[in-house]
Amino acid sequence: MSNTLLQTPIEYLKGVGPQRGELLRKEVGIHKYEDLLHFYPNRYIDRTRYYKINELQSQSLGTIAEVQIIGKIINIKTVEFGKAKKRLVATFVDETGEIELVWFQGHKWIRDTLKLNTAYVIFGKVTSFNGQYNMAHPEMELLNEHQKSLRSAMQPVYPSTETLTNRGISNRVINKMMQQVFLETQGNFAETLPQYLIEELKLIPKNAALFNIHFPKSQELLSKAQFRLKFEELFFIQLQLITKNLVRKHKIKGHPFTIVGENFNNFYQKHLPFELTNAQKKVLKEIRNDMGTHAQMNRLLQGDVGSGKTIVALMAMLIALDNGFQSCLMAPTEILANQHFNGLTELAKDLNINIKILTGSTKTSERKIIHEALENGTLHILIGTHALLEDKVQFQNLGLAIIDEQHRFGVEQRSKLWQKGGPSGVVGGAIPPHILVMTATPIPRTLAMSLYGDLDISVIDELPPGRKPIQTVHRYDSNRLKVWKFIKDEIAKGRQIYIVYPLIQESETMDYKDLMDGYESISRDFPLPQYSISIVHGKMKPADKDAEMKRFAEGKTNIMVATTVIEVGVNIPNASVMIIESAERFGLSQLHQLRGRVGRGAEQSYCILMTSFKLSNDSKIRLETMCQTNDGFEIAEVDLKLRGPGDMMGKQQSGVLNLQIADLVKDKDLLLLARHKALELLKKDASMTLPEHQKLRAAFIELTKKKNIWNYIS
């Protein structure tokens, strides 16, 4: 069937019209026939069984969720209840008894459509009130129409919204629209996958899959339809991502860094503070290989908190320098930028290289010096925040751009960095810098393959030697005295302590109060002059925050009471205990990030999760996971299961994976299969021009026009 009919605006479908069309567009994003076709049910109800009314009496209602009954209406009345409220009540009977049907809204038009003494099939939830059975807002269909319709044994239930339901677009109405689409198109849809793949994976044809997802004749056919459509969705996403990666490698030129020279070798042989782990060596090799070709590097470097990404970043920058190029490192916050600056300056103190930092609070006089040194090439490495993106910041020859915690930067911000390549960096004629994206937020493999499938991925999955795993325990508020005693013992050994309170935007006043109450009671229990306490929260001026952080970093205070502002990037090797108050109010990745603030020295470190007794099931799973493992990737997998992909990526990227039928958590194996098959196909025929790939190519070109997941990715 030609694609043209599927492109018809939805209001032209019989039974829809302009008003309903507008609602469907607004509420559920259905614009054309095609969108309706891919509007999949989210569950199914078995409609093979018809109940008799007297069976309802004999069964405990708990076991019957929704029932289907054949019978007729013998009486309709309007009943008043409460203040000026009305409900419509109809008496529905079959040969075994009677039940009341109730409507609280839409009385007038419902009353006009109901026919007395005519056979109906009703469907809905049954409840019992004063010994009388009733069904509110039932789905109703005349028996003769019910027998004629494309009704299947497994009744689909479509996603809906309150507005749709209130405006009369019920599940049954959507089902009717679906039948209409199949009638008008004759259920004949273009095949999209190559025949050999369909045979190899025993997939059912596209027509059969679409028919059985909406009108399944049996559970078995439904499963086959789901498998086929999920595979196809994931397969096209992977085709898109892998193609993007291949195109980039062939088309986007990069500066070939062929020299590994004096700076790199001098540092590696004489100034390494510790032996690199095997994981760091492996990642460095991958980066060197990437930067040594004529293609632009685009690599994602994942490593847990404290795994040593900074040293890898420095060594990559030294390679750029050996080849005569500048580097920059962009971080999302000043605290983090300062930390990178201090860390890199310390590592490179014996090398003859110029490193500067540029943030919002850099003074104008200092900025001027930085801008000049960048343009004349005497500044080798620039660390900074968003300030790096300002138009005034121009490099002589930027060869490597490193972006830390990249999910906090938008696509446009990253592309701005591309255009800073110096004189040759005239947009269009530019050779862009190599890009290394770093994250300390472990991303589950399935998410990484879908979100960053067009980047090459490196993982540092071991901690430097000498680091002891952090011991994590869960304690209830009632154990607080013991916890305080433990803190006093640790302080006596010369250690420092973090105590973190949650900060949830909706209730800042409450959180602020929690923090201040906490601070006061801690001050009472840990009095001056024996103990000294720092406090940091979001309402403070940046300068005051930094001053408090500095006091703690210099060991002038023993305890740091803070909100989550310290989540990323505070490196204090002497801090050995992290206490997280109301730990049940934090997400898993946040708990893991906070825990990573301790355990940076050689001493044994501890993380204590404090909660009240009232815990939800999810909270219990989160706390147990934290106590069982220190592995960020394992934690990320549990997090993905609990929260789903949309939530994990935060607001900026939650729209990324608007999958229509597949689920990254449940369909993990299918995703791996789809990626494997996509790679296989593109190795054989990268441009998809072989005769057996004609249909695939056509579908692929259609899909790339859509701004769904595709254009979102880097």
Side-chain angles (χ1 to χ4, degrees):
M1 185 201 76
S2 74
N3 258 337
T4 45
L5 189 54
L6 285 180
Q7 300 310 313
T8 312
I10 196 68
E11 53 266 32
Y12 293 106
L13 185 73
K14 189 179 168 199
V16 178
Q19 280 177 318
R20 278 184 167 177
E22 186 54 29
L23 270 175
L24 290 170
R25 264 196 295 277
K26 258 198 195 133
E27 293 292 312
V28 281
I30 295 175
H31 297 264
K32 307 175 195 154
Y33 281 25
E34 181 182 39
D35 301 325
L36 181 62
L37 191 64
H38 296 300
F39 185 62
Y40 299 122
N42 50 12
R43 63 189 181 96
Y44 297 83
I45 298 164
D46 183 1
R47 296 279 284 253
T48 47
R49 169 144 197 219
Y50 298 90
Y51 283 79
K52 297 282 182 212
I53 291 173
N54 68 351
E55 286 181 281
L56 305 180
Q57 334 281 341
S58 60
Q59 299 236 2
S60 77
L61 273 174
T63 60
I64 311 173
E66 293 164 303
V67 299
Q68 194 168 235
I69 309 169
I70 300 172
K72 56 189 180 186
I73 293 173
I74 53 166
N75 174 26
I76 306 170
K77 61 185 179 200
T78 304
V79 180
E80 294 197 1
F81 68 102
K83 271 191 186 164
K85 288 183 180 172
K86 292 179 179 179
R87 59 171 181 250
L88 189 65
V89 180
T91 309
F92 187 83
V93 301
D94 67 2
E95 63 276 21
T96 69
E98 67 174 51
I99 179 174
E100 282 193 342
L101 309 182
V102 186
W103 291 269
F104 296 98
Q105 288 157 330
H107 304 172
K108 189 173 176 337
W109 68 267
I110 290 170
R111 190 167 193 149
D112 293 346
T113 55
L114 295 177
K115 298 180 178 170
L116 290 173
N117 300 312
T118 310
Y120 274 105
V121 176
I122 63 165
F123 175 79
K125 276 194 170 145
V126 175
T127 51
S128 157
F129 184 69
N130 288 343
Q132 165 74 54
Y133 287 94
N134 57 54
M135 188 186 284
H137 292 268
E139 279 188 31
M140 302 190 65
E141 197 173 18
L142 291 166
L143 181 61
N144 58 4
E145 281 183 15
H146 178 79
Q147 286 159 342
K148 279 191 302 206
S149 68
L150 261 177
R151 196 162 281 277
S152 58
M154 308 292 297
Q155 192 66 47
V157 178
Y158 292 93
S160 188
T161 67
E162 207 177 323
T163 310
L164 283 184
T165 316
N166 290 346
R167 299 285 289 277
I169 302 183
S170 62
N171 198 56
R172 205 174 121 246
V173 169
I174 290 180
N175 199 296
K176 277 213 141 117
M177 290 175 188
M178 211 57 85
Q179 293 183 35
Q180 191 58 34
V181 164
F182 275 83
L183 284 173
E184 290 186 26
T185 55
Q186 298 171 346
N188 182 13
F189 309 110
E191 186 50 76
T192 42
L193 297 177
Q195 195 52 38
Y196 68 84
L197 197 57
I198 292 175
E199 286 165 16
E200 185 194 339
L201 299 177
K202 302 190 170 62
L203 300 173
I204 61 173
K206 180 88 177 215
N207 289 342
L210 283 167
F211 184 82
N212 282 289
I213 202 82
H214 295 295
F215 310 105
K217 290 278 174 257
S218 68
Q219 185 57 55
E220 187 197 1
L221 277 168
L222 174 60
S223 300
K224 284 183 172 169
Q226 285 170 327
F227 185 85
R228 152 77 209 232
L229 294 170
K230 285 177 175 187
F231 172 80
E232 180 173 342
E233 180 168 43
L234 295 168
F235 179 70
F236 273 105
I237 286 175
Q238 293 304 324
L239 271 185
Q240 171 76 21
L241 291 169
I242 298 162
T243 304
K244 208 165 180 182
N245 195 345
L246 293 172
V247 165
R248 181 181 275 150
K249 285 184 176 158
H250 291 297
K251 285 209 177 145
I252 301 182
K253 297 276 177 281
H255 299 288
F257 292 171
T258 48
I259 304 162
V260 176
E262 191 188 337
N263 287 299
F264 183 90
N265 289 325
N266 180 14
F267 180 74
Y268 188 65
Q269 285 152 15
K270 297 182 187 159
H271 303 296
L272 265 187
F274 48 77
E275 174 73 19
L276 293 183
T277 62
N278 288 329
Q280 284 171 314
K281 287 178 184 165
K282 181 178 112 271
V283 167
L284 257 174
K285 198 171 168 189
E286 290 166 348
I287 291 172
R288 275 175 58 175
N289 290 344
D290 278 2
M291 298 198 302
T293 67
H294 283 267
Q296 182 203 23
M297 166 170 85
N298 254 295
R299 192 165 276 282
L300 172 69
L301 172 57
Q302 283 188 266
D304 223 330
V305 174
S307 61
K309 295 183 296 296
T310 313
I311 204 160
V312 170
L314 174 65
M315 292 171 86
M317 291 173 176
L318 294 177
I319 294 175
L321 189 56
D322 282 336
N323 286 273
F325 284 90
Q326 296 164 304
S327 304
C328 70
L329 190 160
M330 184 162 82
T333 63
E334 285 205 14
I335 290 177
L336 202 47
N338 276 311
Q339 179 138 335
H340 279 305
F341 177 66
N342 297 336
L344 290 170
T345 312
E346 175 59 28
L347 284 169
K349 63 178 187 282
D350 299 321
L351 306 175
N352 184 21
I353 61 176
N354 186 3
I355 306 177
K356 287 271 187 273
I357 181 165
L358 179 68
T359 66
S361 46
T362 306
K363 293 190 174 71
T364 315
S365 52
E366 181 65 10
R367 275 170 193 262
K368 219 171 155 213
I369 297 168
I370 290 174
H371 292 159
E372 276 171 24
L374 270 186
E375 289 182 38
N376 66 29
T378 53
L379 178 51
H380 305 129
I381 294 174
L382 181 60
I383 318 281
T385 53
H386 294 78
L388 295 188
L389 301 174
E390 290 165 5
D391 295 337
K392 284 199 190 89
V393 179
Q394 284 302 330
F395 293 77
Q396 185 182 42
N397 52 0
L398 179 62
L400 170 65
I402 300 179
I403 300 169
D404 195 23
E405 294 304 337
Q406 88 117 34
H407 54 276
R408 303 202 184 181
F409 293 105
V411 180
E412 306 78 41
Q413 292 170 317
R414 298 205 296 278
S415 64
K416 264 193 166 176
L417 268 183
W418 272 45
Q419 296 157 19
K420 301 233 173 226
S424 66
V426 190
V427 188
I431 290 188
H434 293 294
I435 303 275
L436 180 66
V437 165
M438 301 199 300
T439 178
T441 312
I443 304 163
R445 192 161 165 224
T446 45
L447 251 193
M449 274 174 11
S450 314
L451 279 170
Y452 301 113
D454 62 331
L455 297 178
D456 299 303
I457 297 178
S458 293
V459 177
I460 302 183
D461 49 10
E462 55 183 313
L463 290 178
R467 287 272 174 100
K468 295 192 175 94
I470 300 164
Q471 285 186 19
T472 306
V473 292
H474 170 209
R475 295 285 180 263
Y476 292 107
D477 290 335
S478 52
N479 304 104
R480 189 168 296 280
L481 286 175
K482 279 188 180 161
V483 173
W484 271 191
K485 159 111 179 52
F486 173 71
I487 295 180
K488 286 178 176 168
D489 293 347
E490 284 292 299
I491 292 175
K493 293 181 199 164
R495 312 267 183 272
Q496 286 167 287
I497 318 290
Y498 287 110
I499 303 179
V500 176
Y501 286 83
L503 184 70
I504 295 164
Q505 279 157 341
E506 278 78 45
S507 57
E508 269 192 23
T509 48
M510 183 175 114
D511 296 308
Y512 185 62
K513 183 176 165 297
D514 284 359
L515 177 81
M516 293 329 270
D517 288 355
Y519 176 65
E520 277 169 28
S521 73
I522 293 162
S523 303
R524 279 196 300 275
D525 294 336
F526 295 86
L528 283 161
Q530 196 181 350
Y531 301 100
S532 170
I533 303 169
S534 283
I535 182 164
V536 172
H537 56 80
K539 292 193 172 180
M540 289 165 77
K541 294 192 176 103
D544 297 344
K545 251 190 243 177
D546 291 345
E548 284 290 286
M549 292 272 197
K550 202 168 166 218
R551 282 177 61 208
F552 188 63
E554 289 168 355
K556 290 177 182 163
T557 56
N558 320 97
I559 299 174
M560 159 76 80
V561 178
T563 57
T564 48
V565 287
I566 60 145
E567 177 187 343
V568 179
V570 188
N571 188 7
I572 294 158
N574 191 42
S576 65
V577 183
M578 167 63 72
I579 294 179
I580 304 175
E581 294 285 353
S582 308
E584 71 274 22
R585 286 170 63 189
F586 289 90
L588 250 181
S589 64
Q590 231 183 353
L591 289 171
H592 179 63
Q593 284 280 347
L594 285 167
R595 172 167 66 184
R597 301 290 111 233
V598 295
R600 294 179 161 237
E603 308 307 330
Q604 176 63 57
S605 287
Y606 305 89
C607 175
I608 303 173
L609 307 170
M610 303 292 296
T611 70
S612 62
F613 277 104
K614 269 171 64 181
L615 293 176
S616 69
N617 207 26
D618 278 6
S619 299
K620 282 181 190 149
I621 295 172
R622 288 201 293 269
L623 296 166
E624 275 163 23
T625 307
M626 285 292 293
C627 295
Q628 279 160 10
T629 180
N630 277 302
D631 179 337
F633 288 92
E634 219 176 292
I635 287 169
E637 289 290 348
V638 177
D639 204 18
L640 180 63
K641 281 195 184 106
L642 289 175
R643 291 202 288 158
D647 253 17
M648 273 195 74
M649 294 320 296
K651 280 187 189 135
Q652 271 188 318
Q653 301 203 0
S654 60
V656 173
L657 286 173
N658 266 335
L659 296 177
Q660 287 171 305
I661 189 163
D663 175 316
L664 285 187
V665 180
K666 298 187 185 116
D667 303 317
K668 196 168 151 184
D669 297 343
L670 205 48
L671 173 65
L672 293 170
L673 174 70
R675 185 160 178 93
H676 175 64
K677 290 297 167 200
L679 275 166
E680 239 175 37
L681 186 146
L682 291 169
K683 267 189 189 142
K684 187 167 92 178
D685 179 20
S687 54
M688 299 183 245
T689 44
L690 289 175
E692 63 265 36
H693 294 151
Q694 290 307 303
K695 295 171 187 162
L696 179 79
R697 185 181 161 83
F700 183 75
I701 290 169
E702 266 313 297
L703 268 179
T704 17
K705 290 178 189 166
K706 290 192 178 162
K707 186 157 176 55
N708 190 2
I709 165 172
W710 328 113
N711 311 341
Y712 229 108
I713 296 175
S714 81

